[in-house]
Amino acid sequence: MAELIQPRVLKGFRDFLPESEIERALLIETLTRVFRSSGFVPIDTPALEYSEILLRKSDGETEKQVFRFEDNGGRDVSLRFDLTVPFARFVAEHREELYFPFKRYHIAKVWRGEKPQAGRYREFVQCDFDIVGSDSPAVDFEILALMKASLGAIGVKGVTIRLSHRGTFNRFIAKLGLTEKSEDILRIVDKLAKIGEAEVLSQLAEFSGCDGAKQILSYVKGAGDGPENFDNTLNLIEEMAGGPADDTKRLRDIHAYMMETGIADSFVLDPSITRGLDYYTGVVYETFLDELPSIGSVCSGGRYDNLAGLYMKDRVPGVGASIGLDRLLAGLAELRDSGGKASFTEAAVFCQNEADMGAYQRCAASLRAAGVSCEVFPDAKKMSQQYAWAEKKSIAWGVTPEADGKLTIKNLATRETVQVLSVEEAAKKIHG
């Protein structure tokens, strides 16, 4: 007999039992409804892309995280590490078939070979929504408002969305004479929440000297945390960057729209938010759960006006955000003390005699036609076994068809039995 292979998964990868996968599926359904309500449409792209497509504009750190290999045809290919770069390729390849502004959402798996830790995995689902073809601040605002609406729709109440503008930061860095070091400075500043002020100052001093490092830190700290300091921080960074410009005007416009729509209390102007990826060119943002900030950003993104320019001559401005679905689920699991659903089934038709299976199947079909998700237990096992199976699947109701066409339904939680006259009455009772 051949030696059995030990069942196992790679580090950083996971199986999902029904309770977890149902929660994720319901989350995706809710987000999909929110996206569609704002005019977004779905697209899909391949999991594998030519490495040249994915890595042409990325830093060395990104390349270290990519699953890259040579396929059987000798092609240099990589698994996508996000959904934004493939989207840029998608826009360039299908620009004649699209209309602009074009709003898309894309919910799919991505892969990164980073070190697994709490809320971080090597295979995970991202949920992206973008608008390309418009450079209006109204479009920036629409993405930010959709971030708040999406998280609100799935029951996340306490969120803080932190935003800034890469253009203002770039002007400030240029004023210090450090433009050539901007990407290094961006990556260091992006780590402020993780490594603290002292370490950030130490690393910045290597590029800018002690005085320059102190100025950079003063810039990224702003005029104080909280939504109420938005204008004060904006005035401060505007002055440090050299005065008014299109970037600070855009931030003022976006904030005005937030005030107009009554959602400004969820947004903080935080100059330390820079987003390390170098394809961002304008407004950038990250989202944190107020009750669990330690898990990191659960929704981030920004404006990337020049990204599609890697694949086409025409300039197509774009802005978007990405919800890290698995990290969000990890955060929600920590915040919520409730068991997940083990199935979508509302009612089970029990089997007392296999000779009556046709009647059981007819009963289940009638209940489904009445809007009740229903399944039939296939074997005439002891009723205690059938009840145990239903409870493990979180099925709320048991159904037994009677000889005269009536249905007997039982609340499996209370064991209350109810006789009804019709399928419609049963459906009404099941749905409460």
Side-chain angles (χ1 to χ4, degrees):
M1 182 178 176
E3 183 178 349
L4 294 175
I5 299 173
Q6 180 184 354
R8 63 199 189 278
V9 296
L10 291 166
K11 187 176 183 181
F13 293 75
R14 298 165 295 161
D15 288 325
F16 287 87
L17 291 170
E19 291 89 341
S20 300
E21 188 60 17
I22 285 172
E23 183 179 10
R24 185 160 67 169
L26 291 173
L27 202 64
I28 289 172
E29 288 176 12
T30 300
L31 291 172
T32 298
R33 286 195 297 271
V34 176
F35 299 153
R36 291 176 179 174
S37 72
S38 292
F40 287 70
V41 293
I43 68 162
D44 197 12
T45 62
L48 275 179
E49 299 267 8
Y50 285 104
S51 296
E52 177 189 25
I53 296 291
L54 292 182
L55 301 176
R56 185 176 169 190
K57 189 161 180 74
S58 65
D59 54 56
E61 290 301 314
T62 299
E63 291 193 30
K64 292 176 185 177
Q65 296 179 2
V66 171
F67 286 100
R68 182 176 184 177
F69 55 94
E70 186 177 288
D71 70 5
N72 291 340
R75 290 170 287 264
D76 181 7
V77 298
S78 297
L79 283 168
R80 62 190 178 205
F81 61 88
D82 74 358
L83 299 177
T84 302
V85 178
F87 179 49
R89 190 269 308 156
F90 175 94
V91 170
E93 194 160 357
H94 299 284
R95 61 187 181 275
E96 299 301 328
E97 305 162 67
L98 300 177
Y99 43 84
F100 297 100
F102 179 67
K103 298 180 177 182
R104 72 99 192 211
Y105 68 90
H106 189 187
I107 304 173
K109 286 186 176 181
V110 299
W111 295 266
R112 294 182 187 174
E114 57 186 350
K115 183 179 179 181
Q117 53 185 291
R120 287 182 179 268
Y121 309 97
R122 289 175 170 172
E123 178 185 67
F124 53 97
V125 175
Q126 278 194 332
C127 174
D128 280 23
F129 43 103
D130 299 75
I131 305 174
V132 295
S134 173
D135 192 28
S136 168
V139 170
D140 292 319
F141 166 75
E142 185 169 354
I143 291 292
L144 288 162
L146 191 57
M147 289 165 62
K148 177 175 172 58
S150 298
L151 293 170
I154 61 177
V156 181
K157 296 179 180 178
V159 297
T160 298
I161 301 174
R162 298 180 173 272
L163 69 148
S164 64
H165 198 296
R166 286 283 285 268
T168 313
F169 187 83
N170 291 342
R171 286 199 296 127
F172 167 67
I173 293 299
K175 188 179 176 184
L176 296 180
L178 296 170
T179 298
E180 293 183 0
K181 300 293 184 180
S182 62
E183 290 187 18
D184 297 311
I185 293 170
L186 281 171
R187 280 191 286 275
I188 294 170
V189 170
D190 202 35
K191 300 175 184 177
L192 179 62
K194 298 178 183 177
I195 64 177
E197 290 185 16
E199 182 61 24
V200 165
L201 276 173
S202 175
Q203 292 186 22
L204 286 174
E206 297 179 18
F207 300 104
S208 61
C210 292
D211 289 342
K214 290 178 181 177
Q215 288 188 63
I216 294 170
L217 188 62
S218 176
Y219 175 95
V220 299
K221 289 179 68 176
D225 205 26
E228 68 278 4
N229 288 307
F230 195 108
D231 287 331
N232 292 335
T233 293
L234 182 51
N235 291 334
L236 173 67
I237 64 174
E238 184 176 63
E239 181 180 350
M240 295 185 75
D246 289 344
D247 45 69
T248 49
K249 180 181 184 303
R250 179 166 297 242
L251 287 171
R252 285 196 167 85
D253 287 343
I254 292 170
H255 190 235
Y257 303 151
M258 292 173 179
M259 296 293 290
E260 194 75 29
T261 54
I263 61 173
D265 286 349
S266 295
F267 295 88
V268 173
L269 181 58
D270 182 347
S272 73
I273 301 298
T274 59
R275 303 293 296 144
L277 290 170
D278 59 4
Y279 53 64
Y280 290 116
T281 59
V283 177
V284 288
Y285 29 77
E286 296 185 355
T287 306
F288 299 88
L289 305 180
D290 292 347
E291 296 181 47
L292 198 65
S294 61
I295 202 169
S297 177
V298 297
C299 181
S300 57
R303 178 165 283 282
Y304 47 90
D305 289 350
N306 300 322
L307 185 64
L310 292 171
Y311 317 110
M312 59 189 291
K313 293 181 180 180
D314 297 337
R315 177 180 175 271
V316 180
V319 61
S322 176
I323 297 175
L325 216 62
D326 293 295
R327 185 184 295 189
L328 177 58
L329 283 168
L332 294 177
E334 192 167 337
L335 292 174
R336 297 173 180 171
D337 184 20
S338 60
K341 293 178 64 175
S343 77
F344 292 108
T345 306
E346 296 174 290
V349 179
F350 293 127
C351 177
Q352 296 177 319
N353 187 340
E354 291 182 14
D356 295 326
M357 183 55 67
Y360 300 148
Q361 295 292 349
R362 184 174 65 252
C363 173
S366 298
L367 285 168
R368 293 184 197 115
V372 177
S373 57
C374 182
E375 59 183 298
V376 179
F377 194 86
D379 303 298
K381 292 186 176 180
K382 294 179 180 178
M383 291 306 299
S384 59
Q385 292 177 281
Q386 296 189 51
Y387 286 148
W389 164 82
E391 288 170 357
K392 284 184 178 180
K393 295 193 68 170
S394 301
I395 299 174
W397 295 89
V399 180
T400 303
E402 305 297 344
D404 59 1
K406 294 180 180 180
L407 299 182
T408 297
I409 64 173
K410 176 176 285 190
N411 184 316
L412 298 181
T414 65
R415 291 296 193 263
E416 175 193 5
T417 299
V418 182
Q419 279 199 321
V420 294
L421 297 177
S422 67
V423 169
E424 289 73 20
E425 287 176 311
K428 185 176 180 181
K429 181 70 175 178
I430 289 169
H431 287 151

